[in-house]
Amino acid sequence: SGNIAMTDEEKPKGWLKTVPGILSAIAAVLTAITGLLVALNQVGVFNGKEKPLSQVTQPSHGETAPSTIEHPSAASQSEMRIAQKKSEPIVLRRSAYRNPIKTGARLYYFDFDTPKQLLNATSNVDFFFKPNSNERNTKIGIVPHNGAKFAPRSLDLFPWEVDEGDLTSARGVYSVPQGKKIPCITSSGTYCTFYLKIEDNAEFLVAFVLYELR
């Protein structure tokens, strides 16, 4: 009568038909927000720290992390060189004396702290030597004086390489082999080595070297 009829296109759509679209839109928005939050968290927005450009790879199980190698500084290298230099032996004097072998118990006195051979016993003499009359081609007798020390069993060593207990200052005649370097220390504390030798059964050779560690 007075009602106006509406066509199907003009009628409002039911809400059930719009729910899937709304849910799809909400899911898309949530996905975008979640992705944004994850990205912001990775760059440290929420903890106030920036993610370093490169991270140190932690060793996996069974692996050992590389150790840090510390190189000595120039100053420490210089100190090491100075210490090594101080340990180097410096030859102070090198001398050799030959005396003809005569019949009898002739003694040859030497003080390695003086540059001359002493043929007479004095209070300043550190050592005296003589050929062994029984086995003079193989052994020599020696006696230290005034606290001078030597090591008859430490052949071919320097005195600073010898244990203190192997150095002796006891008086007595010791046998030492010919042609072997014998470590010694004079009464003034100077490092020394000597060797003894009978040459051609005619001459008695005494050679020594004085050292200093610098």
Side-chain angles (χ1 to χ4, degrees):
S1 58
N3 295 332
I4 300 175
M6 299 180 63
T7 63
D8 293 338
E9 294 179 354
E10 293 176 340
K11 292 179 180 181
K13 297 180 179 180
W15 68 272
L16 291 176
K17 294 182 180 179
T18 63
V19 168
I22 294 173
L23 292 177
S24 298
I26 293 174
V29 172
L30 291 177
T31 301
I33 293 175
T34 302
L36 178 62
L37 292 176
V38 171
L40 293 175
N41 182 63
Q42 287 182 346
V43 297
V45 171
F46 299 111
N47 56 15
K49 296 181 181 179
E50 293 185 7
K51 187 180 181 66
L53 295 179
S54 61
Q55 293 181 339
V56 178
T57 303
Q58 297 296 327
S60 61
H61 181 70
E63 294 181 348
T64 303
S67 58
T68 303
I69 300 176
E70 296 183 359
H71 297 283
S73 63
S76 62
Q77 289 178 344
S78 177
E79 292 174 357
M80 290 170 59
R81 285 194 295 270
I82 292 174
Q84 292 174 353
K85 186 176 180 181
K86 286 184 178 180
S87 299
E88 293 179 356
I90 305 299
V91 175
L92 300 178
R93 186 164 61 255
R94 191 188 304 268
S95 300
Y97 299 96
R98 287 179 174 85
N99 296 278
I101 296 176
K102 297 182 179 179
T103 304
R106 182 176 178 182
L107 303 180
Y108 302 93
Y109 290 85
F110 288 83
D111 182 356
F112 291 160
D113 288 318
T114 61
K116 65 180 181 179
Q117 177 184 9
L118 303 175
L119 297 180
N120 297 308
T122 69
S123 59
N124 295 324
V125 169
D126 283 338
F127 302 96
F128 79 82
F129 308 96
K130 68 176 182 178
N132 188 306
S133 59
N134 296 325
E135 300 179 73
R136 67 180 187 177
N137 291 327
T138 57
K139 295 181 180 180
I140 307 295
I142 179 174
V143 176
H145 287 261
N146 298 324
K149 299 178 181 180
F150 82 112
R153 291 178 296 276
S154 302
L155 306 179
D156 292 330
L157 293 179
F158 291 104
W160 54 86
E161 298 175 335
V162 180
D163 293 336
E164 186 176 355
D166 292 333
L167 290 163
T168 179
S169 60
R171 296 195 178 194
V173 176
Y174 299 86
S175 293
V176 295
Q178 294 188 63
K180 292 290 186 179
K181 181 177 65 180
I182 311 297
C184 59
I185 302 177
T186 68
S187 58
S188 65
T190 304
Y191 290 126
C192 59
T193 58
F194 66 86
Y195 75 90
L196 310 173
K197 188 176 181 181
I198 295 175
E199 297 183 333
D200 299 328
N201 293 330
E203 287 187 325
F204 178 40
L205 172 67
V206 178
F208 69 90
V209 184
L210 296 181
Y211 304 92
E212 180 178 302
L213 291 181
R214 296 182 181 176

